Amino acid sequence: MAALMAGFGLYTHAIVRRIPASLAKEALRTSEAEVDVDKARGEHDAYVEVLRTRLGLDVVDLPADESFPDCVFVEDAAVVCGDTALITRPGAESRRGETEAMKRALKALNLNVVEMTDENATLDGGDVLFTGREFFVGLSSRTNQRGAEILADAFKDYAVSTVPVLASLHLKSFCSMGGPGLIVIGSSEPAQKALKIMQQMSDHCYDKLTVPDDFAANCIYMNLPDKGHVLLHCTAEQYPESFKVFEKLKDYTLIPVSNMEKVKVDGALTCCSILINKKGSI
Amino acid sequence: MTTETGADSEAKQPQDTNETEKGKTKAASDPASPQKQPEQLPAAVGHSTPARKEQEPQDDDQESHRSSISHLSKSPLRGVKKVKIMQCKVTLLDGSDYTLDVEKRAKGQMLFDKMCDHLNLLEKDYFGITYKDVDNQKNWLDPSKELKKQIRTGPWNFAFNVKFYPPDPTQLAEDITRYYLCLQLRDDVVSGRLPCSFATHTVLGSYTVQSELGDYDPEELASDYISELRFAPNQTKELEEKVMELHKTYKGMTPAEAEMHFLENAKKLSMYGVDLHHAKDSEGVEIMLGVCASGLLIYRDRLRINRFAWPKILKISYKRNNFYIKIRPGEFEQFESTIGFKLPNHRAAKRLWKVCVEHHTFFRLVSPEAPPKKFLTLGSKFRYSGRTQAQTRRASSQIIRPAPLFERSSSKRYNMSRSLDGAPITENHDTLMKDSSADGTAKIMAKGDIITTVTTEKKAEEEQAEQEDAAETPELAASTQQRHDTKDTEPPVEVAKHQTNISELKRSFLETGDSKPGLTEWEKRLSSSPSAHSPRADEAPMIEPLEPQDTKDEEPAGDERKQEEEEEEPKATEATGYLVKYMADSVVTEGATSSGPHGISLSTTMDDDVFIDGTLREAEEKTPDSQDEVSERSMVKISPRAVRQEVSQAITDKKGTLIILKDDTEGKNTAVPGEDTEDTGLLSAPKDKETVKDDIAVVVKAQMTNEVKTPSLKIDMKPDDMTLFKGMDSPKKAMASWISQEVKVETSEVTCVSAKEVREMKTCDGLQHKAQIFTFEQMAQSKKSKSDSTQNSLFESSAASLAVSTLGWVPSSQKTSAESEQKETEAAPAESAEPAGELSEGGTKEIPVVHTETKTITYEAAEVDSNGDADPGVLLSAQTITSETTSTTTTTHITKMVKGGISETRIEKRIVITGDADIDHDQALAQAIKEAKEQHPDMSVTKVVVHKETEITPEEGED
């Protein structure tokens, strides 16, 4: 029996990419922070290890490309939902080339790959929040209306609503899904405002989990066989207050993942992987 | 996602035009000719997929004769040589055509009923019939209006379609209903109206195949068996292969199961059930407005750029080609805002408005929420007269027939199709081609007059037209009611048919009661406390539900509905007797002027309510009305008025005996509503009245005493409302309500709406105050009633009385104008106070009613519970002026009140139009309203009550 839109959080594969040395100096960032590449790599390795070993996903590990300092943030290069993958056109020109490797990887997984060829369109995957029932696309410095339109064309089953993102890099810089129908949201005013917009735009009901730190609201939810609800979230070291909030979640397998270095270049947890479900695809 | 209307129209318009014209001429010259109709079909059915076959008219016709159970007279000849018989071609959901004969003056309901009979469809409320207008735009047939008046000069071609897509198809009771829904959705998918991904096409297609062909059987099915079915706008080999792959896995799945799966997937699609309309925003940007179960969606290209859940919308209106929604202030805004959209033309704006009204009503009104109901009430001229979803669900639950056997016709095939009844249809691509081309061609019909009228004349005309509609509707309602009332007279068949309606009515009536317990959804929403929504149990406490405006609400609503239903059931039996009235808000469209003041003052009050305005009328009535009523009548706005008016009319007519039941301040005044009802009932159906009286007599009498004290209906009304709120528990109340068939319905509806909100506000004290006020009025009223009665005596064959109440919130300075207005009304000032007084009088007099049919329609502008805000206000002055012409008697009541520092002048006019059937009452009504407006340009028409009494002749009773 085929069921669409089933199994939110169910993934079989993950695509990640190694951190190039150029990340330290050249990666785009909204702050002036210095990045320790080694530390960042250590974090990233741990992250990938969680996906691969702890969660048992098939991890496609793409090699780093020094010419793309931000290439570790694979999320921005593609949006995958069901068996369709939309190759984006990243808003930062320096990142456009990242999509090539991504496209090859997705095609290798036999996904239905759609490319965003419109030169007026920009879209970063970090601006795309898929709730299981619909998409929210942040209109940010990286993503424009046209990009969102193309995304809507690529995923016709779902409503695609736009949300202005003014105060942060991406929509998912302050929110993410923490479970089916559960939106984890930062407590800043812009975050709350964006949430209000999202709820207004939606036909569906969501619960919200508010965390004190916007960036901590970016977590990774999975619902895996034998593991149930899994949440990769911030560490106590990084965001102690938000960590306490996550700690209270019941019936979750909680996996704190350190992200101290990548955050300096605006990298959040979701940024570093693309999650794919091949089993459910038709 | 394409719009049925917009997209189609835009794309196909040029071609369509030609086609339609052809069709027209054909139709005009040879309306009966079946052969030509197929060609026209496309024009008539924007909906249908290109792949639709022509069917043999004869078979269909026979079928129709066979199947039509309707009480309506069948045309003896299908040939339609008779002037009064018209042949309709209805395109069914499987793409086939069904031809049937109807009387030329038949109303939409009749055609719809016949179609449902033919289709063996019981859960009909989700469906409707469409026709194409001169612009080749798809319009929903108004069941209460004559076919002829709707299609105008166009061909008598229609299509049977799903009108309200159930958000949860599993709640449909019957497989056959789901089957038809599936057919519609397949068409939606194939036509591109319902966009979906490749994967979804695959899944939906596979279930379609299973449903139609059964298990995959390599021996029976050719390798390309699937190619004859259509699954997608652009069907590829790849898709077909995928569909086959899935199909092979479904062995043993029954068609019904396959359809269930189909629907389970289809309902999740974001454009499921979204009716799209092309528009431009205030900056001229092309957008699409999508009307759906949960509210209004705004799209730009494929993106949803905004969404207004029904609860978020305070008012919907249109004016010329503009469509407006007034939005409740959000968290970040302080004031409500009005958002305007430009539609391609006036008709498009009206069409959108109507669709909004209907969707809001259907999907939200049943719930106990007062606001939605008000909404309904407010529905201005146009109202959705069918059942709401909750009602229809309840009705569905009572379907007891064994699952009907039906044959699933192959639909959307490239090459062949069968008619519903199984007759093979010779299909040809040629036809298809013709259709498509035809579609393209036919667009502009020559019908200039009709259209012009609407468009050109602006408000006045619009109103006229709408009023016509309204007028028609009332007739329908009245007739229905009568039937119920006069069960004796009526053939059993009819009764049965109507029963559904009745039960609906009952429900709505009962529903009012529901609102009583606990928080209404509306209230919940207002409170918006997260706690109201059930958080997931397993989640940690910090997880809060977002408060989706609609979604969550809906769910609770469902529960409430259920509750309501339960409550209703016991009563239902009783209720059966009474009919549903259509409450339409007819607000006369007002210029900016009137709206301005009203809007502002009212808006405050209005926040909670949703209004649907036909024209730019002001929904604001509520405040004024309620206040007025409160002060003057102490009644709840709408219903009370209507009742009063009706009563008064009745009195005037002498046709009905008015029983005034008055309760004390307590909510238990069932009697009150009953009174009204009775009045109406009496007026409308004398026979019934008598019976009713017997049953109810006790109650009424008891109340009567009380009533005597407070002659004013208004007072009574409040109690009713109160009662409603509190609960329908008391048998007496129920009885009373039943009794007051027409009135009650209205009342109940109104009450429901206002009641909720008002409840709190209304205290016994308030009622009492009102009562007092009224008391003195009674005296005056009695006088009036006398005079009225005299007038009434004049009525003979048919009398239609129109009551137009003009409400104006006028700053004190403006009062003058009001006065001047008074002057305008010629005639003798009679000092009767208010309609309420009349009512009471009527009740006292108890005049036997001779006339058979009474129809009362109330059109109200928005009502807000004024009660909440409201201090009763102080009555400054009340004046009554009466003028007569040959066929018209106009009684004008002018009341001035001061409430909270704002003086309000309210003018209520009762216009009695007497004459034989040949008088165009609609016209007269329109004229009356027009005049009223002209006389009081600075005021707004907030409510129009049409009360029609017609002698029942066999013929009339018929349809």
PDB file of all heavy atoms in Angstrom, chain A residues 263-280:
ATOM      1  N   VAL A 263      29.386  26.784  14.311  1.00  0.00           N
ATOM      2  CA  VAL A 263      28.419  27.848  14.524  1.00  0.00           C
ATOM      3  C   VAL A 263      29.037  29.213  14.236  1.00  0.00           C
ATOM      4  O   VAL A 263      28.350  30.178  13.945  1.00  0.00           O
ATOM      5  CB  VAL A 263      27.869  27.788  15.972  1.00  0.00           C
ATOM      6  CG1 VAL A 263      28.918  28.286  16.939  1.00  0.00           C
ATOM      7  CG2 VAL A 263      26.586  28.589  16.090  1.00  0.00           C
ATOM      8  N   LYS A 264      30.347  29.245  14.322  1.00  0.00           N
ATOM      9  CA  LYS A 264      31.016  30.527  14.086  1.00  0.00           C
ATOM     10  C   LYS A 264      30.882  30.958  12.636  1.00  0.00           C
ATOM     11  O   LYS A 264      31.016  32.134  12.309  1.00  0.00           O
ATOM     12  CB  LYS A 264      32.504  30.419  14.459  1.00  0.00           C
ATOM     13  CG  LYS A 264      32.722  30.172  15.947  1.00  0.00           C
ATOM     14  CD  LYS A 264      34.192  29.947  16.240  1.00  0.00           C
ATOM     15  CE  LYS A 264      34.414  29.694  17.730  1.00  0.00           C
ATOM     16  NZ  LYS A 264      35.802  29.268  18.004  1.00  0.00           N
ATOM     17  N   VAL A 265      30.655  30.020  11.790  1.00  0.00           N
ATOM     18  CA  VAL A 265      30.388  30.378  10.391  1.00  0.00           C
ATOM     19  C   VAL A 265      28.931  30.065  10.054  1.00  0.00           C
ATOM     20  O   VAL A 265      28.587  29.672   8.950  1.00  0.00           O
ATOM     21  CB  VAL A 265      31.342  29.635   9.424  1.00  0.00           C
ATOM     22  CG1 VAL A 265      32.723  30.254   9.481  1.00  0.00           C
ATOM     23  CG2 VAL A 265      31.398  28.156   9.773  1.00  0.00           C
ATOM     24  N   ASP A 266      28.136  30.256  11.087  1.00  0.00           N
ATOM     25  CA  ASP A 266      26.685  30.133  10.929  1.00  0.00           C
ATOM     26  C   ASP A 266      26.217  28.738  10.571  1.00  0.00           C
ATOM     27  O   ASP A 266      25.142  28.566  10.010  1.00  0.00           O
ATOM     28  CB  ASP A 266      26.179  31.135   9.883  1.00  0.00           C
ATOM     29  CG  ASP A 266      26.613  32.547  10.211  1.00  0.00           C
ATOM     30  OD1 ASP A 266      26.286  33.007  11.310  1.00  0.00           O
ATOM     31  OD2 ASP A 266      27.288  33.172   9.362  1.00  0.00           O
ATOM     32  N   GLY A 267      27.020  27.797  10.903  1.00  0.00           N
ATOM     33  CA  GLY A 267      26.595  26.428  10.606  1.00  0.00           C
ATOM     34  C   GLY A 267      25.809  25.835  11.760  1.00  0.00           C
ATOM     35  O   GLY A 267      26.264  25.825  12.897  1.00  0.00           O
ATOM     36  N   ALA A 268      24.659  25.375  11.475  1.00  0.00           N
ATOM     37  CA  ALA A 268      23.836  24.748  12.505  1.00  0.00           C
ATOM     38  C   ALA A 268      23.825  23.241  12.277  1.00  0.00           C
ATOM     39  O   ALA A 268      24.427  22.742  11.323  1.00  0.00           O
ATOM     40  CB  ALA A 268      22.423  25.314  12.464  1.00  0.00           C
ATOM     41  N   LEU A 269      23.139  22.555  13.155  1.00  0.00           N
ATOM     42  CA  LEU A 269      23.167  21.093  13.058  1.00  0.00           C
ATOM     43  C   LEU A 269      22.583  20.589  11.745  1.00  0.00           C
ATOM     44  O   LEU A 269      23.126  19.696  11.110  1.00  0.00           O
ATOM     45  CB  LEU A 269      22.407  20.487  14.236  1.00  0.00           C
ATOM     46  CG  LEU A 269      23.080  20.659  15.593  1.00  0.00           C
ATOM     47  CD1 LEU A 269      22.219  20.029  16.687  1.00  0.00           C
ATOM     48  CD2 LEU A 269      24.466  20.021  15.580  1.00  0.00           C
ATOM     49  N   THR A 270      21.468  21.172  11.360  1.00  0.00           N
ATOM     50  CA  THR A 270      20.834  20.664  10.140  1.00  0.00           C
ATOM     51  C   THR A 270      21.660  20.974   8.896  1.00  0.00           C
ATOM     52  O   THR A 270      21.508  20.319   7.870  1.00  0.00           O
ATOM     53  CB  THR A 270      19.423  21.256   9.941  1.00  0.00           C
ATOM     54  OG1 THR A 270      19.537  22.674   9.829  1.00  0.00           O
ATOM     55  CG2 THR A 270      18.507  20.914  11.094  1.00  0.00           C
ATOM     56  N   CYS A 271      22.519  21.998   9.015  1.00  0.00           N
ATOM     57  CA  CYS A 271      23.254  22.446   7.834  1.00  0.00           C
ATOM     58  C   CYS A 271      24.192  21.378   7.290  1.00  0.00           C
ATOM     59  O   CYS A 271      24.540  21.396   6.118  1.00  0.00           O
ATOM     60  CB  CYS A 271      24.085  23.676   8.164  1.00  0.00           C
ATOM     61  SG  CYS A 271      23.119  25.083   8.681  1.00  0.00           S
ATOM     62  N   CYS A 272      24.592  20.490   8.158  1.00  0.00           N
ATOM     63  CA  CYS A 272      25.711  19.625   7.809  1.00  0.00           C
ATOM     64  C   CYS A 272      25.312  18.288   7.221  1.00  0.00           C
ATOM     65  O   CYS A 272      26.148  17.399   7.066  1.00  0.00           O
ATOM     66  CB  CYS A 272      26.591  19.409   9.037  1.00  0.00           C
ATOM     67  SG  CYS A 272      27.199  20.960   9.700  1.00  0.00           S
ATOM     68  N   SER A 273      24.052  18.117   6.935  1.00  0.00           N
ATOM     69  CA  SER A 273      23.662  16.849   6.318  1.00  0.00           C
ATOM     70  C   SER A 273      22.383  17.035   5.505  1.00  0.00           C
ATOM     71  O   SER A 273      21.602  17.948   5.738  1.00  0.00           O
ATOM     72  CB  SER A 273      23.429  15.780   7.400  1.00  0.00           C
ATOM     73  OG  SER A 273      22.371  16.174   8.253  1.00  0.00           O
ATOM     74  N   ILE A 274      22.244  16.144   4.571  1.00  0.00           N
ATOM     75  CA  ILE A 274      20.964  16.020   3.871  1.00  0.00           C
ATOM     76  C   ILE A 274      20.452  14.631   4.168  1.00  0.00           C
ATOM     77  O   ILE A 274      21.163  13.643   3.962  1.00  0.00           O
ATOM     78  CB  ILE A 274      21.136  16.246   2.365  1.00  0.00           C
ATOM     79  CG1 ILE A 274      21.291  17.745   2.106  1.00  0.00           C
ATOM     80  CG2 ILE A 274      19.931  15.699   1.609  1.00  0.00           C
ATOM     81  CD1 ILE A 274      21.372  18.091   0.651  1.00  0.00           C
ATOM     82  N   LEU A 275      19.267  14.575   4.679  1.00  0.00           N
ATOM     83  CA  LEU A 275      18.718  13.294   5.100  1.00  0.00           C
ATOM     84  C   LEU A 275      17.726  12.789   4.062  1.00  0.00           C
ATOM     85  O   LEU A 275      16.916  13.550   3.523  1.00  0.00           O
ATOM     86  CB  LEU A 275      18.052  13.441   6.470  1.00  0.00           C
ATOM     87  CG  LEU A 275      19.001  13.932   7.572  1.00  0.00           C
ATOM     88  CD1 LEU A 275      18.243  14.188   8.858  1.00  0.00           C
ATOM     89  CD2 LEU A 275      20.128  12.921   7.796  1.00  0.00           C
ATOM     90  N   ILE A 276      17.804  11.531   3.798  1.00  0.00           N
ATOM     91  CA  ILE A 276      17.029  10.955   2.705  1.00  0.00           C
ATOM     92  C   ILE A 276      16.385   9.660   3.166  1.00  0.00           C
ATOM     93  O   ILE A 276      16.981   8.891   3.917  1.00  0.00           O
ATOM     94  CB  ILE A 276      17.953  10.660   1.499  1.00  0.00           C
ATOM     95  CG1 ILE A 276      18.550  11.971   0.989  1.00  0.00           C
ATOM     96  CG2 ILE A 276      17.192   9.944   0.385  1.00  0.00           C
ATOM     97  CD1 ILE A 276      19.801  11.774   0.163  1.00  0.00           C
ATOM     98  N   ASN A 277      15.212   9.457   2.711  1.00  0.00           N
ATOM     99  CA  ASN A 277      14.546   8.194   2.992  1.00  0.00           C
ATOM    100  C   ASN A 277      14.341   7.450   1.694  1.00  0.00           C
ATOM    101  O   ASN A 277      13.524   7.833   0.865  1.00  0.00           O
ATOM    102  CB  ASN A 277      13.199   8.438   3.680  1.00  0.00           C
ATOM    103  CG  ASN A 277      12.449   7.140   3.912  1.00  0.00           C
ATOM    104  OD1 ASN A 277      13.053   6.073   3.980  1.00  0.00           O
ATOM    105  ND2 ASN A 277      11.138   7.246   4.025  1.00  0.00           N
ATOM    106  N   LYS A 278      15.091   6.418   1.522  1.00  0.00           N
ATOM    107  CA  LYS A 278      14.958   5.673   0.280  1.00  0.00           C
ATOM    108  C   LYS A 278      13.921   4.572   0.382  1.00  0.00           C
ATOM    109  O   LYS A 278      13.337   4.161  -0.612  1.00  0.00           O
ATOM    110  CB  LYS A 278      16.317   5.046  -0.086  1.00  0.00           C
ATOM    111  CG  LYS A 278      17.308   6.030  -0.646  1.00  0.00           C
ATOM    112  CD  LYS A 278      16.868   6.511  -2.011  1.00  0.00           C
ATOM    113  CE  LYS A 278      16.968   5.390  -3.060  1.00  0.00           C
ATOM    114  NZ  LYS A 278      16.413   5.838  -4.346  1.00  0.00           N
ATOM    115  N   LYS A 279      13.661   4.111   1.557  1.00  0.00           N
ATOM    116  CA  LYS A 279      12.740   2.979   1.684  1.00  0.00           C
ATOM    117  C   LYS A 279      11.315   3.352   1.304  1.00  0.00           C
ATOM    118  O   LYS A 279      10.613   2.596   0.665  1.00  0.00           O
ATOM    119  CB  LYS A 279      12.750   2.459   3.126  1.00  0.00           C
ATOM    120  CG  LYS A 279      13.944   1.595   3.432  1.00  0.00           C
ATOM    121  CD  LYS A 279      13.872   1.104   4.865  1.00  0.00           C
ATOM    122  CE  LYS A 279      15.151   0.358   5.250  1.00  0.00           C
ATOM    123  NZ  LYS A 279      15.222   0.147   6.713  1.00  0.00           N
ATOM    124  N   GLY A 280      10.952   4.494   1.754  1.00  0.00           N
ATOM    125  CA  GLY A 280       9.557   4.867   1.539  1.00  0.00           C
ATOM    126  C   GLY A 280       9.282   5.331   0.130  1.00  0.00           C
ATOM    127  O   GLY A 280       8.139   5.437  -0.283  1.00  0.00           O
TER     128      GLY A 280
END
